[in-house]
Amino acid sequence: MAGLLDEIEPLKQAALAELKIAPDLAGLEQTKGAWLGPHGKFTGLMKQLGTLPKDEKPAAGRLINAAKVELEAALAERRNELELATALPKEPTDFTLPGRRRPLGRLHPLTQVTEDIVRSFRKIGFAVADGPEAEDEYHCFDALNTPPDHPARDTQDTFYLATNAGGDSPSPGGEGRGEGERQSLLLRTHTSSVQIRVMNSQPPPVRIIVPGRVYRRDNADATHNPTFHQIEGLYVDKGVTVGDLKGTVEFVFKELMGSDVKIRFRPHYFSYTEPSYEIDFTNALVKKMGKDWLEIAGCGMVHPQVFETVGYDPEVWTGWAFGFGIERIAMLRYGINDIRLFYENDVRFLKQF
Ligand code: DAH
């Protein structure tokens, strides 16, 4: 029965061709069943083996087995190919694309502005001083010639700390010169308290700036926040004048906001300076906001009473001081119209600086 032997090769070729083009794993299983399953075409060939004459069986058997091995190898190979294809990403991937970057942190806009201000003052010989945010009444008010009945000391607009309220605990600063009896702790309302700390700890001359956080009982709105930042300046030497003050402020503001900056001094009142002024500021940005001038700082010549309190002789020493809000400058500089944005820590805001 030569017919059977002649059938093996063409059947095998047909099966190999079909296995190679199976489109997916399910299709491959179907093709496998159609050829090698219990009722498959190749299985049928093997079943016919029994009908062959005895002397033809061994040769036919060998041929069929060899073909079967070949088919199974082809099946395994196609299965591998298809499994690999399903494991690969559906979309083509460009492995030469740059990797994903980790988001890098950066300095808060208020920190950046503060550093710029500090840099300008350093150029003209000012050093940075520091003081506590939880301050006592002596440094925050009394020594600054601010009497106990002054509204700035009112519990309504100042945060007093309950632990020490009305207490008789010693002053944390402890310089001990002329501290009053009341030593309640409060969150400092201005950085002016550090003027006293510095003058109490060193003899004149003094040339310092104090960047720092301050607190007020203000409800938050577009221009107010219960906490904000100030920079205090204090210059004490012999023969210091308002002209020095004006020149210094003008220099720093021109550095910060550009050479078209103009400043003007308006008479004002602060208990720790005499005379006192408010500084108004203008430049193209202010005009753009539809304003002529923007109030930016308080300042004046250090009051002789303050010098007396810290033990500096007011007949010998003269000086000026100022304090301004950092948020206000940052808002002007970057065109920010709501102070609360600085405190919300929204990355969409922060990453713009
Ligand atoms: N401490 C004042 C405030 O918070 C600002 C100020 C005014 C500071 C006059 C000074 C000064 O040093 O001399 O509004």
Side-chain angles (χ1 to χ4, degrees), residues 260-280:
D260 68 328
V261 160
K262 284 201 181 79
I263 56 163
R264 81 176 176 191
F265 278 35
R266 261 185 304 110
H268 200 72
Y269 173 80
F270 296 103
S271 48
Y272 33 98
T273 42
E274 178 58 36
S276 303
Y277 309 94
E278 263 191 339
I279 305 172
D280 291 342

Side-chain angles (χ1 to χ4, degrees), residues 1-11 45 48-49 52 55-64:
M1 209 182 145
L4 183 60
L5 279 175
D6 293 338
E7 275 178 56
I8 297 172
E9 186 60 21
L11 264 170
L45 207 62
Q48 288 178 46
L49 203 58
L52 284 184
D55 59 331
E56 286 179 18
K57 270 186 194 168
R62 265 197 304 279
L63 263 178
I64 289 177

Side-chain angles (χ1 to χ4, degrees), residues 138-139 141-146 175-180 196 199-200 303-314:
Y138 167 76
H139 292 94
F141 302 127
D142 296 272
L144 287 164
N145 198 28
T146 306
E175 287 90 7
R177 248 182 282 178
E179 275 113 321
I196 304 302
M199 289 192 282
N200 269 341
H303 198 291
Q305 183 56 53
V306 174
F307 279 151
E308 295 272 7
T309 304
V310 299
Y312 287 9
D313 183 350

Side-chain angles (χ1 to χ4, degrees), residues 284-297:
L285 272 168
V286 176
K287 295 268 160 62
K288 229 186 202 167
M289 291 161 60
K291 294 191 176 170
D292 285 335
W293 294 95
L294 230 133
E295 178 191 315
I296 200 100

